[in-house]
Amino acid sequence: MITQTKQLDININIDTIQNMAKTEDILIQMKNNPTNVRFADLSKVCNYYFGKARHKEGSHHVYKTPWKGNPRINIQNYKGKAKVYQVKQVLLAIEKLEVEHATEG
């Protein structure tokens, strides 16, 4: 018999895996076509890699990064789409994160 806590843990893990898969799919689409990215998708990717936006005001979302000097990722909603240069900045930041994690392990 599965206890309520174990069932909850299993559901959370399944939800996490499904969310991760969706994020990876969006990331692949962003790399293939950075000119046609929905703002909601870019926001989802940023939330996954950088945590919740530190600042949300109007059409701008600002995310904190883990690097010295405290640089920020700033994305902007323009008619439901993300701006191309911001998509490219996010992709570069994610690549930098992945390289750093690969060298740590």
Side-chain angles (χ1 to χ4, degrees):
M1 181 174 165
I2 296 177
T3 65
Q4 183 73 11
T5 303
K6 286 188 180 189
Q7 183 65 39
L8 182 61
D9 289 344
I10 291 169
N11 288 340
I12 290 171
N13 289 336
I14 290 170
D15 288 344
T16 301
I17 291 167
Q18 289 173 338
N19 189 31
M20 189 168 57
K22 289 177 189 174
T23 302
E24 289 298 320
D25 290 342
I26 294 168
L27 195 56
I28 290 167
Q29 291 172 358
M30 285 171 49
K31 288 177 182 178
N32 289 335
N33 187 7
T35 61
N36 193 23
V37 177
R38 293 181 335 144
F39 177 79
D41 289 342
L42 183 61
S43 182
K44 183 182 284 190
V45 168
C46 287
N47 285 332
Y48 179 80
Y49 282 95
F50 306 110
K52 290 189 177 191
R54 302 292 190 251
H55 178 76
K56 284 184 183 180
E57 188 171 309
S59 62
H60 291 265
H61 290 191
V62 180
Y63 296 87
K64 185 178 178 185
T65 62
W67 301 296
K68 193 173 187 171
N70 205 15
R72 309 272 188 208
I73 297 289
N74 179 20
I75 62 173
Q76 185 177 0
N77 187 348
Y78 181 72
K79 298 180 181 178
K81 298 288 185 182
K83 294 193 171 192
V84 177
Y85 79 93
Q86 293 171 343
V87 172
K88 291 178 180 180
Q89 287 174 345
V90 169
L91 290 171
L92 287 172
I94 291 169
E95 185 178 317
K96 183 176 178 178
L97 275 177
E98 290 174 341
V99 167
E100 287 179 1
H101 282 40
T103 58
E104 289 176 2

